[in-house]
Amino acid sequence: MSINNKVTTLGQLESLLWEAANILRGPVDAADFKTYVFPLLFFKRISDVRDEEYAAALAESGGDEEYAQFPQNYHFQIPEGCHWSDVRVVATNVGQALQKAMRCIEKANPETLYGIFGDAAWSNKERLSDSLLRDLIEHFSRIALGNQAAQADILGQSYEYLIKKFADLTNKKAGEFYTPRSVVRLMVNILDPKEGDSIYDPACGTGGMLLEAVHHVRENQGDDRTLWGKLFAQEKNLTTSAIARMNLFLHGASDFQVVRGDTLRQPAFFSGDNLATFDCVIANPPFSLEKWGEEAWAGDPYGRPRPVITHGCST
């Protein structure tokens, strides 16, 4: 294992991510770029961080290999044969190797990473040939994405950049995926979340509103660590909910709950037998959604009144 300590700039990361999308252009529709680019970014990130953590554990123990392998030395567990470097040397059936590595990592981290890589058909060779996937993997291998080279803030900013670029490419569906940052900032400023608040987004998309709430607390000299364990969200779309979780991890959030599911039909958060309440609720719901469950609302078992979609802040 080698650790590249060269600092990666925001510009380099943005260029890397956009070029990755360009490698996919042609065989993959623009609307599906995110399905492949974001999981690869996250896979490379956690593999590079794993290398740093291994080197740190080895140094701390004076070279004790057995100590360096202890699970508690690592933020995420990467099973043997499932590291980025393992997939990088695969020459044939690359998609199958990628898919196996990602699924094994999810299973090894059931409380944090289960399902986080989404449901991309990596083994579909008609869309993703071995040569295309090898090009993508070599492309991401050019830049170090560990904590020393790419701090969470820089990595998170580049991630937000790509989210916006993808929304621009597919503007008909952008509202389902991305809310303009100026709108998010205005909403968060109005709500003015404080340190220690519980914050909930019932239609979280890629998690931008939760992250802006965290940034707001930090910018107002609050301790954003008091929000860990108090960030809650739900998102109906599988791919988008996975991206939200990756987005939060890449921004340095360490404890949150993003649940996949339909907030109106199957709310995920409860306090005893009642729906949970939160200090701050923020959302950009899919107002144009036609079949949102109106037929079932008259007999809503949770007793929620109309209007069914609201956003606000209670203290």
Side-chain angles (χ1 to χ4, degrees), residues 137-149:
I137 291 170
E138 284 308 305
H139 178 70
F140 275 98
S141 298
R142 290 165 40 201
I143 295 184
L145 295 177
N147 287 316
Q148 296 175 25

Side-chain angles (χ1 to χ4, degrees), residues 25 131 215 263 315:
R25 197 180 298 274
S131 59
H215 294 157
T263 300
T315 56

Side-chain angles (χ1 to χ4, degrees), residues 80-126:
E80 186 176 353
C82 297
H83 189 280
W84 179 271
S85 59
D86 296 313
V87 177
R88 188 181 181 186
V89 298
V90 174
T92 59
N93 297 323
V94 181
Q96 185 176 343
L98 264 173
Q99 192 157 290
K100 180 182 177 182
M102 290 177 178
R103 293 294 170 261
C104 288
I105 290 171
E106 290 175 346
K107 290 178 181 178
N109 301 272
E111 295 183 2
T112 51
L113 299 186
Y114 189 78
I116 199 166
F117 291 109
D119 60 350
W122 292 101
S123 57
N124 181 353
K125 289 192 175 184
E126 291 185 4

Side-chain angles (χ1 to χ4, degrees), residues 153-189:
D153 282 347
I154 295 295
L155 198 63
Q157 288 177 51
S158 67
Y159 200 80
E160 290 288 313
Y161 157 84
L162 199 58
I163 287 173
K164 182 180 185 304
K165 293 285 283 186
F166 286 165
D168 290 342
L169 282 176
T170 57
N171 53 18
K172 289 184 179 180
K173 295 184 178 180
E176 299 177 14
F177 188 60
Y178 175 82
T179 302
R181 195 56 49 220
S182 57
V183 175
V184 176
R185 180 170 287 273
L186 174 62
M187 293 172 68
V188 171
N189 285 341

